[in-house]
DNA sequence: AATTACCGCAACCGCAGCTAT
DNA sequence: CATAGCTGCGGTTGCGGTAAT
């Protein structure tokens, strides 16, 4: 926990209203404030934040109390690094819903929208910057789908090598084949003869019958029907049902290397990534060669 | 050892939607 | 119906820690 900071009060007192406002604390919370808030909520429950702030004797806005509770003090908040499963889930759900952080957070128990938002800004957008791609562009989506997500899946699989399901591989297969990336890329992602696996809604997904897609794939996963009651597959939530099959075969990845730079351009070439459709297919070749995906920082900085 | 640059995260802000009056 | 207050959300900021020089 951070050291307490003195309150930042910039206003001079004049009217009663301003006097009251000037007493409001801002900035980092003190241990005493945390205790007050926690105890009050334990006794009276959360909600009605403005009243809560007053009744608890906190010189904070209700808004501030709510934020502090939801993002930091709430007992079920998960601390520590995002797991590969969680990262994978964030990437997928973001491709589906965009910056709907709270909605995404609903599918990651114990994680807050703020945390996910920060993850996206600091990690994901950083990758986009390094590649000189707009992080909300189709290009970046495709890159994430076919190069980043496989890494995460691979990590997940390596974390649970004893499992017998190949759901993760199939998941990636579907992710990639739905993408609007050039066919060479999709083909490199193709994992033949794996059982069908529905990425996020194993009961509601109907990829082949994706009526929701009316135009070309603006968002590749638009074809995946994720309802609000989506049941997140175990491979994305932490319970281990992972496949034996690594993705090395289809991605030609050195399994000892989790960084994006481990995906050599030679290996990409070997699966036909650079050949064919020059205008569409070579952008990664051109741009990534100067801006190697540095995924190691993602793993290592946040690894426990 | 000191300084600088960068990064991650907690907290704030403004806005929109909802609800009670 | 209008309006004020509350809540929740997404975007942004700034502090503190740490790596790099």
């Amino acid at each position: 926990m951070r050291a307490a900071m003195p309150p930042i009060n910039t206003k001079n007192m004049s009217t009663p209203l301003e006097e009251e406002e000037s007493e409001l604390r801002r900035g980092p919370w003190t241990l005493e404030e945390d205790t007050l808030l926690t105890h009050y909520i334990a006794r009276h429950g959360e909600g009605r934040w403005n009243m809560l702030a007053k009744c608890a004797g906190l010189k904070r806005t209700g808004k501030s109390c709510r934020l502090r509770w939801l993002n930091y003090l709430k007992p079920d908040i998960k601390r520590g690094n995002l797991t590969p499963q969680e990262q994978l889930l964030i990437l997928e759900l973001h491709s589906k819903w965009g910056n709907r952080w709270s909605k995404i957070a609903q599918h990651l128990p114990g994680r807050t929208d703020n945390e996910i938002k920060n993850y996206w800004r600091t990690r994901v957008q950083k990758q986009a910057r390094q590649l000189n791609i707009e992080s909300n562009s189709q290009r970046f989506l495709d890159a994430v789908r076919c190069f980043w997500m496989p890494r995460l899946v691979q990590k997940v699989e390596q974390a649970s090598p004893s499992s017998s399901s190949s759901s993760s591989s199939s998941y990636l297969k579907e992710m990639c084949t739905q993408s609007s990336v050039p066919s060479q890329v999709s083909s490199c992602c193709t994992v033949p003869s794996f059982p069908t696996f529905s990425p996020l809604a194993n009961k509601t997904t109907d990829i082949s019958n994706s009526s929701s897609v009316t135009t070309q794939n603006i968002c590749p996963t638009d074809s995946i029907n994720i309802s609000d009651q989506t049941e997140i597959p175990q491979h994305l939530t932490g319970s281990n049902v992972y496949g034996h099959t690594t993705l090395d075969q289809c991605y030609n990845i050195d399994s000892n290397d989790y960084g994006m730079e481990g995906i050599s351009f030679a290996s990409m070439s070997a699966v036909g990534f650079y050949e064919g459709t020059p205008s569409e297919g070579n952008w990664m070749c051109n741009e990534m060669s100067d801006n190697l995906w540095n995924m190691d920082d993602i793993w290592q900085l946040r690894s426990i």
Side-chain angles (χ1 to χ4, degrees), chain A residues 46-75:
Chain A
E46 56 182 279
R48 305 177 73 185
W49 295 103
N50 283 335
M51 198 190 77
L52 185 152
K54 280 178 186 160
C55 294
L58 286 158
K59 292 183 170 60
R60 296 272 183 175
T61 64
K63 231 176 170 180
S64 180
C65 293
R66 175 184 166 271
L67 204 66
R68 182 63 176 173
W69 174 253
L70 293 178
N71 285 344
Y72 198 84
L73 296 174
K74 208 174 178 181

Side-chain angles (χ1 to χ4, degrees), chain A residues 30-47:
Chain A
T30 64
L31 189 60
E32 187 186 358
E33 289 176 307
D34 283 346
T35 306
L36 268 176
L37 181 58
T38 305
H39 285 174
Y40 187 88
I41 289 176
R43 233 177 270 152
H44 302 96
E46 56 182 279

Side-chain angles (χ1 to χ4, degrees), chain A residues 2-8 25-30 33-34 60 68:
Chain A
R2 288 185 180 182
M5 290 274 287
I8 306 164
R25 290 178 55 86
R26 292 178 60 191
W29 281 62
T30 64
E33 289 176 307
D34 283 346
R60 296 272 183 175
R68 182 63 176 173

Side-chain angles (χ1 to χ4, degrees), chain A residues 123 126-127 130 294-302:
Chain A
R123 308 268 179 355
K126 178 184 164 191
Q127 296 298 324
Q130 288 177 352
N294 183 10
M295 294 294 291
D296 275 350
D297 57 347
I298 288 162
W299 295 118
Q300 289 167 1
L301 286 174
R302 295 188 66 86

Side-chain angles (χ1 to χ4, degrees), chain A residues 32-280:
Chain A
E32 187 186 358
E33 289 176 307
D34 283 346
T35 306
L36 268 176
L37 181 58
T38 305
H39 285 174
Y40 187 88
I41 289 176
R43 233 177 270 152
H44 302 96
E46 56 182 279
R48 305 177 73 185
W49 295 103
N50 283 335
M51 198 190 77
L52 185 152
K54 280 178 186 160
C55 294
L58 286 158
K59 292 183 170 60
R60 296 272 183 175
T61 64
K63 231 176 170 180
S64 180
C65 293
R66 175 184 166 271
L67 204 66
R68 182 63 176 173
W69 174 253
L70 293 178
N71 285 344
Y72 198 84
L73 296 174
K74 208 174 178 181
D76 57 0
I77 285 176
K78 211 186 279 180
R79 298 257 156 239
N81 306 323
L82 290 165
T83 65
Q85 291 98 325
E86 288 172 324
Q87 293 180 50
L88 189 55
L89 189 52
I90 290 169
L91 293 176
E92 167 53 21
L93 293 180
H94 186 274
S95 75
K96 171 74 181 171
W97 292 324
N99 296 358
R100 302 287 305 278
W101 307 119
S102 62
K103 193 172 182 180
I104 293 171
Q106 286 170 10
H107 292 281
L108 287 104
R111 301 298 186 183
T112 67
D113 53 355
N114 211 32
E115 190 176 11
I116 294 166
K117 184 169 56 181
N118 282 334
Y119 166 74
W120 187 266
R121 287 189 59 79
T122 58
R123 308 268 179 355
V124 180
Q125 291 195 336
K126 178 184 164 191
Q127 296 298 324
R129 278 200 305 275
Q130 288 177 352
L131 290 169
N132 287 323
I133 317 172
E134 289 292 321
S135 62
N136 56 355
S137 67
Q138 183 59 52
R139 271 175 154 194
F140 187 68
L141 265 179
D142 292 339
V144 164
R145 191 170 306 284
C146 273
F147 291 97
W148 193 335
M149 291 173 116
R151 281 276 141 159
L152 291 166
V153 172
Q154 188 181 30
K155 184 79 174 179
V156 167
E157 288 179 340
Q158 289 190 347
S160 297
S162 60
S163 163
S164 59
S165 162
S166 62
S167 59
S168 301
S169 300
S170 296
Y171 167 70
L172 256 297
K173 174 192 172 185
E174 291 194 1
M175 287 297 97
C176 293
T177 51
Q178 287 173 66
S179 155
S180 63
V181 296
S183 58
Q184 299 89 339
V185 179
S186 292
S187 67
C188 91
C189 300
T190 299
V191 184
S193 68
F194 286 109
T196 302
F197 171 69
S198 304
L200 286 165
N202 54 356
K203 290 172 183 168
T204 58
T205 300
D206 187 355
I207 290 167
S208 62
N209 189 21
S210 54
S211 57
S212 64
V213 178
T214 53
T215 60
Q216 59 183 10
N217 280 342
I218 294 167
C219 172
T221 50
D222 275 348
S223 57
I224 302 172
N225 176 17
I226 303 172
S227 70
D228 283 345
Q229 295 78 36
T230 295
E231 187 175 328
I232 305 300
Q234 289 180 313
H235 80 288
L236 293 178
T237 58
S239 305
N240 47 345
V241 185
Y242 310 127
H244 273 306
T245 311
T246 73
L247 290 162
D248 295 12
Q249 300 138 304
C250 90
Y251 293 102
N252 198 10
I253 296 167
D254 177 359
S255 58
N256 292 319
D257 186 350
Y258 301 119
M260 266 305 192
E261 66 272 29
I263 303 173
S264 71
F265 292 98
S267 65
M268 286 191 209
S269 180
V271 293
F273 188 76
Y274 298 140
E275 288 92 18
T277 333
S279 59
E280 285 296 314

Side-chain angles (χ1 to χ4, degrees), chain A residues 11-25:
Chain A
K11 292 180 181 176
N12 291 323
M13 287 184 279
S14 52
T15 71
L17 179 63
E18 285 174 353
E19 186 177 339
E20 192 179 335
E21 281 178 352
S22 71
E23 287 177 1
L24 287 175
R25 290 178 55 86

